[in-house]
Amino acid sequence: MAISEKSIVSDTDTQYRALPPGSIIGILGGGQLGSMLALSAARLGFQCYIFDPNADCPAARNAARHMQAEYMDLDRVKEFANVCDVVTYEFENVPAKTAFSASQHSTLFPTSLALDVAQDRLQEKTFIRDRANVAVADFIDIQSEAGLIEATQTLGFPCVLKTRRLGYDGKGQTILRKPDDIHSAWENLKGVDAILEAFIPFIREISVVTGRNIWGQSASYPLIENIHKDHILHTSTAPAARDDGRAQALSKKIMDALNYVGVMATEFFELEDGTLIVNEIAPRVHNSGHWTQNAGCIDQFELHIRAICGWPLGSTVPTHTVEMTNLLGQDIDNWQDYADETGTFIHLYGKSEPRQGRKMGHINRIIKTTP
Ligand code: AMP
């Protein structure tokens, strides 16, 4: 590990110190999350160095430097990490070898453990259930069509078949409603590893966003209620109704078990009787946390930067209730209407092609201000 004067980890590896303004934060991934992280970091006087293969990635425009290289080009990863005082990532599918290499040449927060767990649904659910003692949907590892048939007998119909890796926004996911659905669902997997999950009859989808620093201190935002359309997040509203702090406590248990550093989002299903079941964790800033940008407190991007740099976490208590709406594809064409709305804040990502379903930006509408 390269130990610069500013490194957050000292040369004994046991002492931590806050990174001063002017330090270099490396971000693996140059999408909109990296872009908003870079903007927040710049406000605190940090320099961001983006690693992304794409020449015109959104984050490159808002960062001090951009290394355009493939994630598996480990020589470039080493070169990149060597000049960073801390490295973080903005998406969970960073290849394991890339993350490991970054951790060998700088400090990587969140650590590779969080990444490993979050990249694979089987590992994720097993870790959350067995190591953090937090409830998840019943699940079974699927290795064969016969195994899938047997698993549907155990979990019953409906049930949800999910690829273990690379699934997001409902991709790689099939609901099985009857035995006749099994064969085609198995064929569609094309040999990719999968799990079968019990179907959860939830009344609400909620999430929490929490920052945790190297000393184990944490700060959570109030509960967020999420509405999805076609499996893609449509709106997030916070603070949500019926927030008794349980979701934040469960999320904290998972973060403690991971010895997590940075911002993490935890998505839950809420049942009619109030039971909370974790659907998944995201080891990064999260779409359902974008409302914090206009909520009158430290936003999730700054919280992440503070957490990975060893700064005090600051206040996560909002003064506004905010509804965040994603702008997908052509929604962005209405930017002038949004600009004309009182109490609406616009965040556009600068992506050139408004493909259908592509996240082009979001708006935060202030619903209410706490007196
Ligand atoms: P995921 O890709 O796991 O985030 O799932 C995308 C969406 O599918 C979730 O936000 C839910 O609306 C739905 N979903 C996923 N898993 C289940 C489940 N086990 N039971 C019911 N609905 C689910």
Side-chain angles (χ1 to χ4, degrees):
M1 177 180 298
I3 304 295
S4 81
E5 242 182 35
K6 286 194 221 139
S7 179
I8 191 162
V9 179
S10 79
D11 43 11
T12 63
D13 267 10
T14 54
Q15 300 284 314
Y16 298 107
R17 51 188 165 224
L19 284 179
S23 303
I24 300 174
I25 300 173
I27 303 177
L28 296 168
Q32 66 266 18
L33 300 179
S35 174
M36 291 183 275
L37 281 170
L39 286 171
S40 283
R43 261 194 293 113
L44 301 182
F46 292 109
Q47 299 180 60
C48 280
Y49 194 0
I50 305 297
F51 191 105
D52 190 292
N54 181 356
D56 87 287
C57 62
R61 268 175 251 135
N62 295 323
R65 289 172 74 184
H66 173 203
M67 179 174 283
Q68 190 192 346
E70 296 301 323
Y71 291 110
M72 288 310 287
D73 186 343
L74 299 185
D75 289 335
R76 303 301 300 281
V77 175
K78 176 178 172 186
E79 197 187 317
F80 166 83
N82 265 333
V83 300
C84 295
D85 297 295
V86 66
V87 174
T88 188
Y89 42 90
E90 58 113 48
F91 71 116
E92 58 270 42
N93 291 319
V94 174
K97 282 186 177 160
T98 309
F100 180 73
S101 171
S103 73
Q104 292 299 291
H105 303 289
S106 185
T107 304
L108 181 73
F109 284 145
T111 62
S112 313
L113 172 65
L115 206 54
D116 285 349
V117 166
Q119 279 182 348
D120 178 347
R121 288 187 198 273
L122 180 63
Q123 284 203 58
E124 181 183 36
K125 289 197 158 34
T126 307
F127 185 94
I128 294 171
R129 184 191 63 190
D130 299 345
R131 297 276 296 281
N133 281 316
V134 172
V136 293
D138 286 341
F139 62 95
I140 296 172
D141 181 17
I142 301 300
Q143 303 278 346
S144 63
E145 187 170 357
L148 177 58
I149 293 169
E150 204 182 318
T152 59
Q153 285 157 2
T154 308
L155 298 178
F157 292 99
C159 48
V160 190
L161 185 66
K162 295 182 178 179
T163 56
R164 278 175 58 175
R165 294 176 171 272
L166 300 174
Y168 67 97
D169 289 344
K171 292 187 175 65
Q173 197 182 115
T174 314
I175 298 187
L176 307 184
R177 301 191 183 277
K178 51 188 188 316
D180 282 354
D181 295 340
I182 296 176
H183 182 65
S184 61
W186 171 256
E187 297 272 292
N188 284 343
L189 276 180
K190 297 191 174 70
V192 168
D193 291 339
I195 59 167
L196 189 72
E197 258 180 51
F199 185 86
I200 306 297
F202 57 83
I203 56 158
R204 275 205 298 185
E205 289 193 81
I206 53 181
S207 59
V208 291
V209 172
T210 302
R212 185 181 184 277
N213 66 17
I214 3 184
W215 298 280
Q217 295 157 335
S218 66
S220 282
Y221 296 100
L223 199 64
I224 307 157
E225 179 162 347
N226 301 313
I227 308 286
H228 294 83
K229 269 192 190 169
D230 302 325
H231 293 287
I232 302 178
L233 183 66
H234 176 54
T235 59
S236 292
T237 307
R242 305 195 304 280
D243 181 0
D244 55 13
R246 279 182 305 138
Q248 289 87 340
L250 293 172
S251 176
K252 175 79 171 29
K253 269 176 86 172
I254 300 169
M255 292 173 94
D256 286 345
L258 287 167
N259 203 11
Y260 194 93
V261 178
V263 160
M264 187 181 97
T266 311
E267 294 182 45
F268 295 88
F269 297 131
E270 184 183 31
L271 303 187
E272 197 150 18
D273 67 0
T275 304
L276 295 178
I277 292 175
V278 171
N279 177 31
E280 62 182 359
I281 57 171
R284 52 171 170 78
V285 285
H286 193 247
N287 198 168
S288 74
H290 290 358
W291 64 278
T292 60
Q293 291 172 305
N294 301 103
C297 55
I298 302 289
D299 72 29
Q300 64 161 348
F301 301 98
E302 182 172 335
L303 184 64
H304 184 73
I305 298 297
R306 285 174 175 239
I308 63 170
C309 292
W311 283 32
L313 294 173
S315 171
T316 50
V317 180
T319 51
H320 305 309
T321 300
V322 180
E323 181 191 77
M324 186 284 313
T325 304
N326 270 332
L327 303 180
L328 303 179
Q330 303 294 343
D331 291 348
I332 195 174
D333 295 343
N334 301 325
W335 57 271
Q336 292 191 75
D337 297 335
Y338 303 131
D340 211 22
E341 280 180 25
T342 306
T344 293
F345 294 83
I346 309 175
H347 301 263
L348 304 181
Y349 309 149
K351 295 181 184 174
S352 46
E353 281 174 72
R355 288 194 299 271
Q356 199 195 350
R358 190 177 194 203
K359 290 176 182 167
M360 302 299 292
H362 64 273
I363 50 172
N364 284 333
R365 289 193 171 104
I366 310 274
I367 306 288
K368 195 173 82 187
T369 298
T370 313

